[in-house]
Amino acid sequence: MKKLFFIILLAVALFSNSCNDFMEFPPAVSFNIDSVFSKYTNAMRMVNDMYNYPIPLNFDTRTFGSNGTRMGGGSFASALTDEGQPFDVQQGYQVQRYYNGNVEPSTCASWYSSYKGEDDYEQKWITIRKAYVIIDNIDKVPDGTFPTNQGISAANQKLRIKAEAKLMIALVYFEMLKRYGGVPIITKAYAVTDSKETMQAKRATFKETYDFINGLLNDVMTNYVDILPARTTVATEFGRFPMAFAYALKARMELYAASPLFNTDHPYSSALGENSNLICFMNYDKERWKKAADAATAAIDYCLANGYAVVDDATQRDNANNYTVANINYPYKGNTEVIWGVAQLASGNWAFYNQIRSLSTYGTYGYATNLVPLNQVERYELKSNVSGQYKSWDNIQSYNINAIPNGTSAIDGGKLVAAVARKPYEGLDPRFYASIAYNGLIDYGTEPYIDMADAWIDGKGKPDSVFTNLCGGQGTRKSRVSVLHYVRKFNRGWELRENSMVPLNIYMRMAELYLIRAEALNEYAGPSAQVEADLNFIRTRSGMPNVQTGTNQEQMREIIAHERNIEFYYEDQRWFDLRRTLQSEKKIPVNIYKIAIKKWYREPTNNWPYKITYEKQLYSTRVWYNKWYMNPFPSQEVDKGYGLIQNPGW
Amino acid sequence: MIEFNKMVLLKKIGFGLFFSICITGNILAQTITVKGVVENESGMVIGNAIVKSATSTDTCDIRGRFKINVERGAILTVSKESYMSRQVIAQSALTVVLRENSGEEKVDLLFGSQTSKELTTSVSTLSSKSLKNNTVLAFGNALYGRIPGLNVKQADGEPGDDYPSLLIRGKHTFTGSNSPLVLVDGFEREYNTLSTEEVESVSVLKDAGATALYGMDAANGILLLTTKRGIAGKSTIGFKVETGVKSPTRIPEFYGSYDYARFYNMAQLNDGKTESQLLYNATKLEGYRLNSDPMLYPNVNWISESIRQYAPSKKYFLDFRGGNDVARYYVNVGLENAEGIFKNTDRGSYNTNRNLDRMNFRSNIDVKVTKDLSIRLDLAGRLEDVNEPTSSSSAIFNNLYNFHPNVAPIFVAPGVYGGSNSYRNNPVAYLNEQGYKKTHRRYFQSNIVANYDLSKFVKGLEIGMRATFDNYYSVTDGYSKTFAVAEIRDKVYPINSLTFYGVNGNMTASGPTNESEYRRNNLEFYTSYQRKFGKHSVSALAMYRQSEYITGPEFPVRRMGVSGKISYGYNSKYFVDVAANYGASENFIKGSRFGLFPAVSGAWVVSSESFMQDITPISYLKLRASTGLVGNQNIGGTRFGYRNLYTSGGVEQTAGNPYLTWEKAYKTDLGIDITLFKNTRIMVTYFNEFRDDILNSGDVLIPSYFGNAFGYTNYGQVRSNGFETAIEHNQQFKNWGYYVGANVTYVKNKITRMRELTRVDTYMYRQGQPIGQRYGLIATGLFQTQDEIDNAPTQSWGKVIPGSVRYKDLNNDRVVNSNDFMPIGKDATVPDYDLGLNVGFNAYGFYVDANFQAAIGREVNLRSDTEGAQYCVAPLYGDKNVSTFVKNPWTPETAATADYPSLSIENAANNFQTSTYWLRNGDFLRLRTLEIGYNLPKTLISKMLLTSANIYVRGTNVFTLDHIKYFDPEVMEGYPVMKSYNVGINLKF
């Protein structure tokens, strides 16, 4: 018996020894933070991931139709203003909620909802967290794992990654600043072990947030010279931040900070009372315009000294090819103008859905999700020797087609019709043809022309389907869209070659620096030779005449705003330009016009129309509420109860 | 040494058998020698009882045996402390059953047992006697309405897969598991594999005091099953044979072709079709009506073609029980067969019907190796073979319920199944021509227990260990084939050619597939102490336990901890227990794995006080109270939610929460036990539980500048409370007797804290509502006119036509959408009141036993995936069949009397939103078992060497009273709930 007793005791001793291991999960085979930073290639995956959808961009990586672009399925933010319009089939798009005035903080941006608002608030913090994790951990990566072929030391490669992460934080904060005003200032990646009590950051004031961003930018500009490359021209590095971007971002931020929405002691709404400093400086300081102009000058100088230049081949001005190169080419393909941009789509397909007409068999109205109201077409100047001349679209216009000889081939006949169809669009700012597709455009080489017209018969009106194949069947009628213009800016010359081109999201290009300086100087001291020179520089490279001289400050302000609208058309600027200049209340709630195009046939029918008519028609109207000057925080976020103060009116 | 012991063991067993046969002989004329055994109600012998006649007295030995010489017909009085005395008429062979005094019944607990008087906690028990009138394939089905506080939820009736689900005192958490811990002989195990015959007792441990030894596994209560063990001094052989039939309680009915076509046309008219566009013209209708041509106008009742009314089942059970001072044994072997209810499934070399064959066995051996050391060795297992059609039963039934009567005849030519391009799943072929599969399951359970009595050192001290090894394996072999259907070309008759769809394939074998296995190992060391010092009784227990559950390649589920319990009693009046567990789960981060779970409970036996002695109606009165903390480590969310991982692409995944912890259940119980007039027992318990730290989605709590999805945090709280009451009354006279037992459980719960998304309206919040509250629209009737529709708020689910369901626009925004869903109806799983009623009557050997279960305060949504009968209540839309549930759908003509929305083919989504329109009173009363039997008189059977013999007729789920009518009120889809009728013989040697 003693033996048994002993055995039991022994067993007890054995088991109690193994207690600690008994409950312990075996060594992780899965990736954790240590494995991410165990070698360069792993760490770079996280760096690449940091660049993945950091801020709302026109072409984002996510799938069309689900979360899609930030408008909830296809339309760019341009559709919030009169420069854009989504196709009207899809009433579920988030942008349609703006047209109804039906935007609620509860349906904007959240992890829980498939509807995104204009912004994806939570995604901002995800990117910031990634940046801080990289800053905190990149030093752990063993030096020996860094590539050595470019002769850059491992230490400098780590510093470069840190500088990028800091710039990323600055960028994301700026994107929040312009939408929300001040936001909580987070200076680290919270560890999961940080208790809830430490996560009680309040909203910082607008100035604190502005200072925080400035601090990051100055840090990068002073401490990472010669470490962060001034410009990236290597194909594989496109998308990573160059040093020039720090300068450019600073110029843009100073412009915003100087603008009336923020540079004021009278915010657009007094609803926040003593907390109004969350959404503006709470003082007006004219010197902020000077700062913006200086920052733009510094950025221009830095860029020029480092191989950047506004694309301007004198032989390519009149056909706006300079403009197209600046908007769609990679740096290593001659685009010296792009400062930072990314190519996020794996294939060009989504770009075509998002941007231009559908080229496949999707219905007669296509799936083009970004269209152009007549309002924008009307804003393109006539190309003449004098600036400020416009075409009138107000009255119905009719264009006769000369009799087409019998026996003409379908293609030739179609081209004759197209030549007439194009007539209303003749003689405009070359940037119009680079930006917008229109009736009669032969968009790529010898392909059929784009036919957006409805067939009509004299005295009988619109027939059902008799004319589907008239016009030789050559017109791509299926491309008709509701307002009858669409965007071609981002794939001009690449139309129909859907998959072979991955469109760029250009966040900033050098042309903007000139227009920032022109605006800032005009606001600081009124029109000057420098203001005109900057404007004319941008206009000249697209074949447009100089601006009128002798204008006053207000007239010049309009000219500059107009120039930004044309130059940065569909580049995600107008919605924010109108807000920062407090112009939204005048320019957003307007009538939206379309063009109605009819091809007229005689009875009895023959193969060819005899005239084409254009008629300006009211398409819809838009609304504006002053609370829209700032984005709402998602109400789910406010409801978490840690003290996030919602913006006025939401 | 081993050999010798075995010899002794065998001899002793042999002697026991021999003795039990001998005692039946020896009858004298005037003075007889009465040899007998004294037992308690559960068949355990009672030693040292005193047997008295007018002339002599004998005291039983420790095996309960006595021998006394008396005159024939004399009255014997048998008495024993803590038992009620009993008088019997002398016979040569006697088995005297004594009933414990109130408070002296043995109650099996987590570790050992207590008398009910000593018991300070909330425990309800069911003895083997109460289990025996059940015919069930899964043990859990014997528990409906039997134990207050135990809610048993019917599963479908598929033989071998009909395990019910259990809840103790309702639901307590909205994220974690609500399932109680189930222990068999003290260890976590599958209990449904046990047969009712081999179980000695079922205990339901409900409050913190009773369950504290299991710490963080105990919060949902514990169901404890104890199997039978050998009894020294009395050997019995039991044999039982039972045979019967099973039949669906209710099965939905569907219209024939004529009515189907009429309803179809009606729906098309509602959808805006004109007379000429209708699918069924007058000729076709007439064809269906006259049933003139079964080829051209088929009218098939697919259910009656595929389902038979009765499915046979049988059962054999043999057990041996006995032993002596050295060794005791309980051994059983059982065989069971149950067939499925599919029809015409014999395919020659194989059968596609469901068929369950099962063998189970148990061998529980107790050996006293020395005076101080005793060893227990238990082996039990079950082998199961399940034959079934290739498609799952739910798919087969759904296909049956979905297939229209007029699609095609069963056969369009001899051996050629009817069908069409769109309708290829001819239900008869779907069942019979797709092959079959065989699943083999093996369960094995074993216990080894060693107990060493240290009384020679310290009186009352014991140490010991318990180890268990369980094993389960299941595998499926499949044999499948495809089949073709044929359509009569152009529906022209006579048939001159057929168009075939699909291929009659050859049988292909697959497998082994669906392999699954698990192992469960437990190890315990314990020391216990029990002693009485005068009026003081003290007992203490300390134990260490570790367990692991290993399934597949995953990290085993592991638990370890120490538990202790100290009980103190004074003068058999006052009792106090303190119990605690300090235990760990592998599911939490190192350093935060262990938790302490204490509980304290006390009881006061008021009836033992001197001032109560004169109050004769109250023979027993006890007050008890307990309070304590137990936990639930089965918290939901992902396993190992504390870990922080990245993808190989460097993307951080949902942040692990290292603070994740178990749910905490703070429980308080107050109870009173009363016995009136010695034969009426009343138990009332009030209980209250506060469950804290229930998982809540972290994303609604953590600021988004955390920058990552957060998973879960412990945030939620639920309060639940209610009462249980049970009343038992029994009366046994010389030749007849009766008993009545009733129990009622009332539970309610409320989510008192839950962080949720901002809801558009306050009525949408889950906080403040019960767990699992159903949300739906308020139906205000049917639209009568297009005008009414035009003026009403817009309803957001497709077309709305006259006769569509009209809903209330709760927030008055002129749109009825997902923002108009509010809490509707009561829980379908846990009723407000769970009732059980058990009654019995016996006379001259005949007896009747009946067990009723009722649920009051329950509602079901007929259209829900989980509760309802959607194949039956949603006709036509989605190409569904039309069941007889649809009686009088809305049309302009029937508007006044319509009891169903207007039919539609195209889109009836509007009508089938979750709403009060489909909500029905789900209350029911079920006669769960009814047994009528006859116990053959001892005088007769003793000549056949029998100690008892009984024959019986038994029904299960005999009838149901409810408001649902068309389908079973508990399970409305898939394999139907079954009722059964059995006859059996039960012999004891």
Side-chain angles (χ1 to χ4, degrees), chain A residues 142-432:
Chain A
D143 288 353
T145 65
F146 277 81
T148 53
N149 52 354
Q150 288 172 33
I152 303 167
S153 73
N156 279 354
Q157 292 186 60
K158 288 178 184 176
L159 285 172
R160 178 185 174 183
I161 290 169
K162 276 190 195 175
E164 288 177 85
K166 286 177 177 179
L167 261 182
M168 181 58 80
I169 297 167
L171 168 65
V172 173
Y173 262 97
F174 166 70
E175 288 290 319
M176 288 198 284
L177 184 80
K178 79 178 187 189
R179 289 183 169 84
Y180 304 96
V183 290
I185 289 177
I186 304 303
T187 54
K188 65 169 191 169
Y190 280 101
V192 284
T193 47
D194 283 329
S195 72
K196 239 171 69 184
E197 289 69 39
T198 67
M199 280 191 255
Q200 297 289 327
K202 303 273 186 291
R203 264 186 94 170
T205 65
F206 182 86
K207 180 163 189 315
E208 284 163 351
T209 312
Y210 162 86
D211 288 342
F212 177 68
I213 300 167
N214 247 331
L216 286 163
L217 293 175
N218 290 338
D219 178 12
V220 172
M221 287 189 282
T222 50
N223 297 327
Y224 298 89
V225 180
D226 297 332
I227 289 168
L228 195 58
R231 178 166 182 245
T232 58
T233 51
V234 184
T236 53
E237 293 216 332
F238 178 73
R240 294 181 72 174
F241 290 136
M243 181 61 96
F245 181 61
Y247 286 86
L249 182 60
K250 181 165 169 70
R252 191 190 268 186
M253 185 180 71
E254 296 291 7
L255 177 77
Y256 271 79
S259 294
L261 179 63
F262 305 115
N263 188 9
T264 180
D265 56 353
H266 281 91
Y268 66 95
S269 161
S270 57
L272 290 189
E274 60 179 10
N275 286 322
S276 292
N277 58 3
L278 297 175
I279 53 170
C280 68
F281 278 111
M282 282 309 279
N283 62 23
Y284 173 73
D285 183 357
K286 196 179 180 185
E287 291 305 313
R288 293 197 180 108
W289 288 114
K290 179 79 168 49
K291 270 187 177 171
D294 291 347
T297 302
I300 290 167
D301 291 348
Y302 184 87
C303 286
L304 291 175
N306 287 286
Y308 292 91
V310 169
V311 176
D312 187 13
D313 178 342
T315 66
Q316 302 293 321
R317 287 174 175 168
D318 288 346
N319 55 19
N321 277 354
N322 293 329
Y323 183 70
T324 295
V325 167
N327 274 302
I328 72 175
N329 274 19
Y330 286 84
Y332 59 90
K333 282 194 172 168
N335 186 353
T336 54
E337 192 171 326
V338 58
I339 294 174
W340 181 65
V342 288
Q344 295 223 332
L345 294 175
S347 103
N349 259 343
W350 296 126
F352 282 82
Y353 289 128
N354 271 331
Q355 193 200 344
I356 117 164
R357 74 194 191 281
S358 165
L359 295 162
S360 47
T361 53
Y362 290 117
T364 51
Y365 279 85
Y367 270 12
T369 52
N370 285 295
L371 312 177
V372 185
L374 188 61
N375 305 43
Q376 178 69 17
V377 176
E378 286 181 314
R379 284 202 288 267
Y380 281 91
E381 290 171 47
L382 287 167
K383 183 179 184 316
S384 67
N385 295 328
V386 190
S387 68
Q389 307 295 308
Y390 294 93
K391 182 183 177 69
S392 168
W393 293 82
D394 285 346
N395 300 313
I396 195 161
Q397 297 174 57
S398 173
Y399 300 87
N400 292 321
I401 298 167
N402 296 328
I404 296 170
N406 281 338
T408 306
S409 78
I411 290 178
D412 291 343
K415 283 182 176 170
L416 290 171
V417 174
V420 175
R422 285 196 293 274
K423 278 187 177 167
Y425 301 101
E426 281 171 358
L428 297 176
D429 182 334
R431 286 174 290 185
F432 169 82

Side-chain angles (χ1 to χ4, degrees), chain B residues 448-523:
Chain B
I448 301 167
V449 180
N451 187 76
Y452 192 75
D453 189 344
L454 291 172
S455 288
K456 60 187 165 193
F457 305 113
V458 180
K459 199 176 171 218
L461 186 66
E462 288 180 344
I463 60 164
M465 63 163 289
R466 304 201 286 176
T468 74
F469 305 94
D470 290 3
N471 204 314
Y472 169 75
Y473 178 74
S474 165
V475 69
T476 302
D477 298 321
Y479 305 89
S480 60
K481 65 188 281 290
T482 58
F483 64 89
V485 293
E487 187 175 22
I488 302 166
R489 181 186 280 175
D490 299 330
K491 300 256 184 204
V492 172
Y493 192 75
I495 309 161
N496 45 22
S497 89
L498 297 168
T499 312
F500 281 86
Y501 302 100
V503 185
N504 282 312
N506 290 326
M507 192 80 94
T508 55
S510 64
T513 55
N514 296 327
E515 264 192 295
S516 75
E517 64 164 326
Y518 64 72
R519 285 173 288 149
R520 253 184 220 286
N521 301 324
N522 290 282
L523 183 64

Side-chain angles (χ1 to χ4, degrees), chain A residues 1 4-5 8 11-12 15 19-26 30-33 36 45-46 49 111-112 121-122 125-126 129 133 184 186 190-196 199-201 635-637 639-640 642, chain B residues 370 373 452 463 523 525 544 546-548 555 558-560 584-586 590 593 640 642-652 655-656 658-659 699-709 755 757-758:
Chain A
M1 274 328 91
L4 186 96
F5 188 44
I8 291 174
V12 172
F15 276 102
C19 280
N20 281 334
D21 300 334
F22 185 66
M23 309 301 286
E24 191 54 43
F25 196 81
S30 31
F31 253 53
N32 58 23
I33 193 156
V36 170
R45 287 179 192 158
M46 187 164 185
D49 180 52
W111 268 313
Y112 325 109
Y121 179 73
E122 278 127 342
W125 298 111
I126 294 172
R129 175 181 182 82
V133 169
I186 304 303
Y190 280 101
V192 284
T193 47
D194 283 329
S195 72
K196 239 171 69 184
M199 280 191 255
Q200 297 289 327
S635 51
Q636 295 91 329
E637 191 61 27
D639 292 343
K640 286 173 186 170
Y642 58 89
Chain B
T370 70
L373 177 67
Y452 192 75
I463 60 164
L523 183 64
F525 301 101
Y544 165 79
Q546 70 179 38
S547 68
E548 62 180 350
F555 184 67
R558 283 179 170 157
R559 213 80 80 241
M560 69 192 314
S585 160
E586 90 297 347
K590 194 173 185 174
R593 286 193 180 127
F640 308 117
Y642 63 84
R643 294 189 302 168
N644 218 30
L645 299 179
Y646 281 71
T647 66
S648 58
V651 182
E652 191 177 7
Y659 295 133
D699 283 340
V700 298
L701 293 164
I702 304 294
S704 55
Y705 56 71
F706 176 75
N708 193 6
R755 192 55 80 77
L757 299 178
T758 311

